[in-house]
Every structure is written in C-alpha cells, then in structure tokens.
Amino acid sequence: QMQLIESGGGLVQTGGSLRLSCAASGRTFSDWHMGWFRHAPGKEREFVASISGNSQTTVYANSLKGRFTISRDNAKNSAYLHMNNLKSEDTADYYCAARWATASEYQYWGQGTQVTVSS
C-alpha cells in the first residue's frame, strides 16, 4: 500500500548540513502523516520529527528544535529532513515512516539511510 525509500545519507563534518529525502509510492500521499526517526548503535530508536498531510502541523523532538526541519512536497510524493549544524550525536540510521491521521502508530517504514557525522 505504501513504500518508502530514504536517500541522502552520508558522511558529513561536524557543523555541516545534510538533507534526507523520502520517496513514497502510494495513493493520496497528502493524506499520510510523515515522520522521521533515527536509531544509533547502543541506543533506542527515537523520534525526530513529523509533519501532517497538508504541512500545517509539524512536531520536533525537543533536543532537535532549531537544527532540523521537516518538510514535504506532495506533488513529488516526497518528505524531507533538512539537518543543520550537525553534531557527532546525530550519527545514526535515519528512517522515514508514514501513518494515517487516525492511526496511533506509524504503519509503514523505509529501509533507512545512514548519517555519519565526523568529529
């Protein structure tokens, strides 16, 4: 019903920026809420950010406010995560996910893209 493919990860220096992309396949992409999560080795998966179908509502993890920005382009069936002033603690595998507005949990997940911040 929904396939998500992340891209844009890589190696970046501390203080640098990176934009992750999530390409989605499926009907009525604008009806899906999109989210970004990350999972670092030895740590639990954590929520990064989410955005509603019409981009009206965005939510960020408190620790990431001001550095990360989530956005989407419904015409391109894509969601994005722009990361600024990257720190070594941002090193992780990043995953995009999708859910209906009425769903309590994210229903579909991408395969992940790795972000490594050197310091």
Side-chain angles (χ1 to χ4, degrees):
Q1 186 175 3
M2 175 71 80
Q3 292 187 69
L4 306 174
I5 302 177
E6 302 96 333
S7 63
L11 177 64
V12 63
Q13 296 181 36
T14 298
S17 299
L18 205 61
R19 188 185 76 160
L20 305 183
S21 298
C22 176
S25 63
R27 295 181 178 180
T28 59
F29 176 72
S30 61
D31 289 337
W32 295 84
H33 285 219
M34 301 298 297
W36 285 96
F37 294 78
R38 66 185 185 183
H39 190 189
K43 300 180 180 179
E44 295 183 349
R45 184 186 66 190
E46 65 176 336
F47 169 78
V48 173
S50 66
I51 186 168
S52 60
N54 60 6
S55 299
Q56 188 170 359
T57 302
T58 56
V59 179
Y60 296 90
N62 291 147
S63 62
L64 301 177
K65 289 181 179 179
R67 292 199 301 119
F68 286 18
T69 302
I70 188 171
S71 63
R72 66 191 296 159
D73 186 340
N74 289 340
K76 297 181 178 180
N77 277 26
S78 297
Y80 308 94
L81 182 69
H82 194 123
M83 306 180 291
N84 298 312
N85 191 25
L86 285 162
K87 308 175 184 299
S88 59
E89 64 190 45
D90 296 320
T91 295
D93 288 336
Y94 284 72
Y95 300 85
C96 67
R99 66 170 177 86
W100 285 109
T102 55
S104 59
E105 302 289 343
Y106 284 87
Q107 301 161 269
Y108 295 93
W109 296 79
Q111 83 288 353
T113 185
Q114 187 176 64
V115 173
T116 302
V117 183
S118 63
S119 179

